[in-house]
């Protein structure tokens, strides 16, 4: 058994460079255009891009993707125009404000709930750590 505590929601933005948008979405972001434009994925288990497509378009779409197993590398790949991807708001807010990155669909964010999970066998001994994690999440994540 485990103790599970909700931490809040991490907001993601579907972003790409302005040049990438012009090259791959000149007529707007559509399912057909998404199927032809390269996406980015963190690893084979990363389904954030697929979840965003389902949320925005109401259906799934197949698309090719480059694997970039680094959160900062993911942002850098978007900035370089290698693909589009879902990036945490905390990493791209400044890039969105400067115009170095743009949202594929304005204000179409994806919120992912995060949880702190700890074994009941050690929960009492790690109560300080649990409190520190909860406090850190309080200031950084959107509340459910």
């Amino acid at each position: 058994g485990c103790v599970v505590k909700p931490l809040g929601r991490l907001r993601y933005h579907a972003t790409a460079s302005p040049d990438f948008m012009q090259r791959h979405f000149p007529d707007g972001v559509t399912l057909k255009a998404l199927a032809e434009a390269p996406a980015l994925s963190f690893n084979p288990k990363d389904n954030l891009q697929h979840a965003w497509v389902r949320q925005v378009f109401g259906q799934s779409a197949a698309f090719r993707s480059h694997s970039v197993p680094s959160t900062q590398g993911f942002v850098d790949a978007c900035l370089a125009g290698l693909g589009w991807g879902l990036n945490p708001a905390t990493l791209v807010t400044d890039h969105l404000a400067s115009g170095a990155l743009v949202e594929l669909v304005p204000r179409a964010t994806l919120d992912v709930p995060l949880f702190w999970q700890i074994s009941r066998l050690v929960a009492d001994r790690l109560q300080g750590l649990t409190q520190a994690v909860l406090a850190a999440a309080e200031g950084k994540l959107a509340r459910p």
Side-chain angles (χ1 to χ4, degrees), residues 34-93:
L34 285 168
E36 296 173 7
L40 303 172
S41 62
F42 191 81
N43 62 32
K45 294 181 181 182
D46 179 7
N47 69 354
L48 287 180
Q49 286 64 231
H50 291 282
W52 180 84
V53 168
R54 280 191 305 278
Q55 177 181 290
V56 172
F57 293 96
Q59 64 186 66
S60 297
F63 48 81
R64 55 199 165 105
S65 67
H66 303 294
S67 180
V68 182
S70 157
T71 52
Q72 186 58 53
F74 218 84
V75 174
D76 293 341
C78 283
L79 287 165
L82 298 178
W84 69 273
L86 272 283
N87 284 296
T90 54
L91 295 181
V92 295
T93 299

Side-chain angles (χ1 to χ4, degrees), residues 2-20:
C2 292
V3 174
V4 178
K5 297 189 180 276
L7 296 174
R9 294 173 285 119
L10 183 58
R11 176 155 289 171
Y12 286 86
H13 293 270
T15 64
S17 70
D19 179 61
F20 183 90

Side-chain angles (χ1 to χ4, degrees), residues 2-6 115-118 120:
C2 292
V3 174
V4 178
K5 297 189 180 276
F115 300 89
W116 175 249
Q117 182 174 317
I118 189 166
R120 287 190 178 152

Side-chain angles (χ1 to χ4, degrees), residues 95-109:
H95 297 301
L96 290 169
S98 73
L101 289 176
V102 296
E103 290 185 283
L104 268 65
V105 176
R107 295 172 302 285
T109 58

